[in-house]
Amino acid sequence: MSEDHRQLITRHQLRGIRAGALVILATLHLGSALPGLLGGLDDYRHPWLPLAAYGLLTLVLAGSLALGLGGGRWPRGWVPSALTCTFAASVAATSQVPADQYFTGSAHWSAQTAGWFAVVLLAHRGPVASGTFIGCQLAVTVAQLLAAGVPSRAVGAGMALNAVSICCFQMTIAVGGKLLLDRSTALGEALWVQERVRTRIAVAAQIHSDQRRRYAELNATALPLLEGLADGSLDPREDRVRRACASEAARLRRLFAESDYSFDPLVHEMRACIDVAERNGATVQLAVRGAPLELPLRLRRALLDPVIPALAAARRTARVTVIRREDQVRVGVVVDGLRGRLPEPAASEVRVRTVHADGRLLVETMCRTHSSSSEIKPS
C-alpha cells in the first residue's frame, strides 16, 4: 500500500470525526443556543450584542461545514481566524448574561457551543489543542462571572457542575477522535507492511520461477553437452564440440547478464555473448546506433539467440551491429570465417535473415516497434 493510500485512510477517518462533531455542534447551535438566545433577549442589557455574537458563530459554523467535510487540511489561516471569532463571540455573548445564569440558564448558550468549535477545528491536532482552547475560554468565562458578582456556595456548586459536565463531554469527543485517528494510522501502517510482504513474496516467487525456467533451458542444451564430455562420447578436440561449448557458454553468460541491472539491457547481454567469442580468440567489434528501448525479456532473447552460434563459430573476426529506431530494432553479426556450419535458426518472434557472400556470413534479426503502444512485433 502506498503512502497515498495510508493518507486516504486517515483523511477518511478525519472526515468522519469532523462530520460527527459538526452534527453535534449544529444541533446545539440551532436546537439549544437559538431558543436560549431568543428566550433571554429581555434579560440582556444590550440584546444586539448576543445577536451579533450568534450571527458570527453561525458564519463560522457554515464555513466549517463547507470547508471541513472533505477531511483534508483546513485552508491556510482559517483555523486561527475561526477560533478568534469564536472566542470573541463567546466573550461578547457572556458579557450580557445575568450573573445568576452563568452555566445554568438558557441565556448563557455560548458556554455550551464555544468549546465544540474547538473540537471541530482542532480535531487533527488532538485533544491537547482542543483542551487548551476550552480551558482558556472557561477561565475567561469564570473571570467574567467573578467580575459580575461572586455567587453563593450553592449556586457556585451548580455552576461548577454544569461547567465540568460541558467541558468533559467536549473533551471526551476530542480524545475519542484522537484515538480513532491513531487507530486509522496504525491500520494504514499494518496494511502497508502487509502489502510489502505480499510484494516480496510475489517477487520471490517470480525469481524462483525464472530460475526453474533457466535450469530447464540448461537441462535441454548444456546438460547433454556436459554429459557427453564427461562420458567421453564427445571429443573436445573437435571443432563441432568446441563450437557447441562456445555457444552454450555464450548463452550462459547471457542468462547471467539478464539478472544484472543495466541502463541498456540488450547491449549489456550482447556484450556478455561477445566476451565468450573474444575468449575463443576472435576479434569482435561492436557498433550501437540509437537510444535504448524497453524490450521485453522474451524479445531480447529472440533477437540474440540466432546470432550467438555465429559469434561462437567466428574464426578470426566478427562485427556486431545493434541499431534501434523508433519503429525497428536490428541486431546483426558479420563473421569472416566459420569453424563449421551453423545450426538452422528456430522459429521465433523476430525475423531472421542469413546471407553468405565472399566467404563472410551475415546473421541479422529484426523486429518492429510501436512507441505509442509499446508493442513489439516481428518484422
Side-chain angles (χ1 to χ4, degrees):
M1 175 173 289
S2 66
E3 185 68 22
D4 292 339
H5 290 161
R6 288 184 286 171
Q7 293 178 355
L8 181 63
I9 293 175
T10 302
R11 185 165 62 249
H12 181 75
Q13 188 67 58
L14 181 60
R15 179 173 57 186
I17 295 171
R18 285 181 181 173
L22 282 170
V23 168
I24 297 175
L25 175 57
T27 301
L28 291 176
H29 188 72
L30 299 176
S32 178
L34 182 59
L37 169 67
L38 298 178
L41 286 178
D42 296 337
D43 297 329
Y44 299 133
R45 296 188 301 273
H46 304 288
W48 65 269
L49 195 56
L51 287 174
Y54 185 88
L56 181 59
L57 291 178
T58 302
L59 292 177
V60 174
L61 174 60
S64 300
L65 286 170
L67 300 175
L69 290 181
R73 294 184 177 181
W74 294 106
R76 185 176 181 180
W78 168 252
V79 172
S81 300
L83 290 178
T84 301
C85 293
T86 300
F87 192 84
S90 175
V91 173
T94 301
S95 65
Q96 301 300 308
V97 176
D100 59 344
Q101 296 190 30
Y102 274 65
F103 299 109
T104 56
S106 59
H108 197 189
W109 51 267
S110 59
Q112 299 180 2
T113 59
W116 287 107
F117 284 92
V119 174
V120 171
L121 296 170
L122 299 176
H124 61 292
R125 294 185 176 273
V128 175
S130 302
T132 301
F133 179 88
I134 294 173
C136 292
Q137 187 260 343
L138 179 62
V140 172
T141 302
V142 172
Q144 289 179 290
L145 170 62
L146 296 178
V150 178
S152 63
R153 179 177 299 179
V155 175
M159 293 180 177
L161 181 60
N162 287 340
V164 169
S165 61
I166 292 172
C167 294
C168 286
F169 186 26
Q170 294 169 352
M171 287 303 302
T172 299
I173 299 300
V175 172
K178 175 61 175 177
L179 293 176
L180 288 176
L181 285 178
D182 291 342
R183 296 290 75 76
S184 64
T185 302
L187 175 61
E189 292 290 341
L191 292 176
W192 178 70
V193 172
Q194 185 181 36
E195 188 66 23
R196 288 187 61 187
V197 172
R198 289 178 178 175
T199 302
R200 289 179 179 177
I201 293 175
V203 171
Q206 183 62 42
I207 293 175
H208 181 67
S209 176
D210 291 342
Q211 290 175 345
R212 291 177 62 89
R213 176 176 43 78
R214 291 180 182 179
Y215 289 144
E217 293 175 356
L218 294 177
N219 288 336
T221 57
L223 188 59
L225 184 62
L226 294 175
E227 290 177 348
L229 292 173
D231 60 20
S233 60
L234 297 177
D235 188 354
R237 292 172 295 183
E238 296 181 3
D239 287 341
R240 176 181 61 86
V241 176
R242 291 182 180 180
R243 189 169 62 252
C245 291
S247 296
E248 292 306 319
R251 288 191 176 94
L252 283 173
R253 292 294 298 272
R254 189 205 64 199
L255 286 175
F256 295 150
E258 290 175 357
S259 302
D260 298 338
Y261 174 80
S262 175
F263 176 72
D264 194 343
L266 179 63
V267 174
H268 179 67
E269 295 165 13
M270 186 75 255
R271 290 183 186 276
C273 300
I274 291 173
D275 183 68
V276 175
E278 291 177 337
R279 290 175 182 270
N280 290 335
T283 301
V284 183
Q285 296 179 346
L286 174 64
V288 181
R289 299 289 184 272
L293 297 176
E294 293 186 3
L295 299 178
L297 176 60
R298 58 182 178 82
L299 285 174
R300 297 202 306 269
R301 288 184 178 180
L303 285 168
L304 296 183
D305 278 343
V307 304
I308 288 178
L311 278 175
R315 186 178 297 274
R316 292 183 299 273
T317 62
R319 182 175 179 180
V320 180
T321 305
V322 179
I323 301 176
R324 280 86 60 99
R325 299 175 181 173
E326 292 184 357
D327 62 341
Q328 191 178 88
V329 178
R330 291 174 180 263
V331 177
V333 175
V334 178
V335 295
D336 62 352
L338 296 177
R339 294 189 172 97
R341 297 185 59 185
L342 293 177
E344 292 295 328
S348 67
E349 300 179 71
V350 301
R351 193 182 76 175
V352 182
R353 185 165 65 100
T354 304
V355 178
H356 293 269
D358 299 330
R360 296 186 178 186
L361 171 66
L362 166 66
V363 179
E364 183 183 62
T365 57
M366 180 174 58
C367 66
R368 293 193 178 277
T369 64
H370 298 278
S371 301
S372 60
S373 60
S374 300
E375 293 181 355
I376 302 176
K377 297 182 179 180
S379 174

